[in-house]
Each structure stands twice: as structure tokens, then as C-alpha cells.
Amino acid sequence: MTYKIRSIRADEWAQVKELRLAALRDPVAHLAFLETLDQAAAQPDSFWQGRAIGGAEGATGAQQIIAEGPDGEWVGTLTVLIEEAGTQDWTGLTVERRQGHIVGVFVRPEYRGIGLTEVLFDAGLEWAWGRDVERVRLIVHEDNDRARRFYGKAGFVLTGLVVPLGEDTEERELEMAVEREKL
């Protein structure tokens, strides 16, 4: 099978929504995403339209990249956010330098293990490097061993930054990053 790796278009919000809801149904979604299926499903169409516009081809602050099957089905995705130095990230920490941040990584279970995640990561990194970032990072749950192994194979290393998931839990997320000069 041939897969097309591309950025989404602004008018594809319904597909963005469908793939996100599929991701949130995955058995390890509680380790991979901070959002729940119920939270996402409750969002109005305007939310999904805005998300698609913000991550579509031509957008400068984010890019959602998909793997599209020969029948047009979206089978995988990731999004790269651009974080500017001096701003605060989602944890409340100050971003020290211009960087990319990979979020929302998902490949439908029946398409895993055939190299789509690697190709999506290559496309995401290429997009980020084209935006003159110094590094690209991601945050992974400490118990998501499968994802951590993959990210390591993709060149990401633990940075030592640990992000607690809240005051009422012992769970933590770990930052992994790849520096531009190492590529």
C-alpha cells in the first residue's frame, strides 16, 4: 500500500475530529493524551474548525501532519507546535528557546509496525527545522514504555525535565528532545 504524508487542509476539520476521537478510544489513550474522549466529543464543531485552521498547511504556529491511505482514510497523525522563547508552555514553565513540540501522535492500531510513525516523525521534524527551531521536544508519560522506546529510536533523549500530572496524582511525564545540530 502507498500512503501519502501531508499537512491537513483547513476545511478538513471533520476528519481531524474523527481521527482525534479514534485516538482517544485507544487503550493507552490515558497515558498518551491529556484530554479524554468525553471532553473531546463534547467540543462544538467550531472548536474542530479552529483546530484544523491552526494546524493546516500554510499555518506558521503549528502543523498537523497525517498519513493518508490509498482509499483516503486517515490512518495516523502528529502535530508540531512552535513554542517561542520567553513564552510559557502548557505546564507554566518558561520556554527558554524557540523550539518545536510534537503532540497528538497516533497511528491506528491496524497500521502500526509498518513504518508510518517514522515517516510522520520525519515529516514533522522537517517542518520544524524549516521554521528555524533549535530543538524539537515532546512529553511522554513515564509509564508509556512503547512510546518512549520509539522516541528513543527516532533520536529523542530524556532531558531530565519531569512534569507532574497534578497535585492529586503521583503520575509524571518526561520531556524528551532532539537538538537540531544532532541531525
Side-chain angles (χ1 to χ4, degrees):
M1 279 193 205
T2 303
Y3 296 90
K4 183 176 184 178
I5 306 301
R6 66 173 180 86
S7 297
I8 66 165
R9 293 183 295 273
D11 64 346
E12 295 178 313
W13 65 269
Q15 294 97 316
V16 168
K17 177 181 179 179
E18 188 280 325
L19 191 58
R20 180 62 172 185
L21 296 180
L24 293 170
R25 287 185 194 98
D26 191 272
V28 296
H30 67 286
L31 295 178
F33 306 110
L34 296 176
E35 176 181 45
T36 67
L37 177 60
D38 289 343
Q39 290 167 333
Q43 294 291 350
D45 289 349
S46 60
F47 170 84
W48 298 104
Q49 291 162 352
R51 180 175 270 190
I53 290 167
E57 60 187 357
T60 58
Q63 198 75 177
Q64 182 173 357
I65 299 168
I66 56 143
E68 182 177 18
D71 60 355
E73 180 186 21
W74 289 13
V75 300
T77 186
L78 64 71
T79 299
V80 183
L81 310 173
I82 299 298
E83 297 175 326
E84 297 293 344
T87 62
Q88 284 192 340
D89 69 9
W90 64 276
T91 68
L93 296 174
T94 300
V95 175
E96 295 180 9
R97 53 190 164 156
R98 183 176 169 82
Q99 61 190 10
H101 187 158
I102 294 178
V103 299
V105 178
F106 175 69
V107 172
R108 293 181 192 270
E110 61 271 27
Y111 295 94
R112 293 179 185 158
I114 62 171
L116 289 177
T117 310
E118 291 87 344
V119 177
L120 285 166
F121 263 74
D122 289 345
L125 289 170
E126 181 180 331
W127 184 83
W129 300 142
R131 293 334 164 262
D132 201 31
V133 298
E134 295 181 34
R135 74 177 191 148
V136 176
R137 72 174 183 153
L138 53 84
I139 307 291
V140 60
H141 193 284
E142 64 185 342
D143 294 335
N144 196 342
D145 294 330
R146 179 178 55 121
R148 286 178 50 198
R149 280 191 305 275
F150 170 79
Y151 300 148
K153 289 178 186 174
F156 288 76
V157 297
L158 292 168
T159 66
L161 178 65
V162 176
V163 180
L165 282 178
E167 296 176 14
D168 58 342
T169 180
E170 298 283 322
E171 294 182 82
R172 305 173 314 156
E173 295 213 332
L174 311 172
E175 181 186 65
M176 298 180 77
V178 59
E179 300 288 331
R180 183 180 185 112
E181 60 269 9
K182 292 182 180 177
L183 293 178

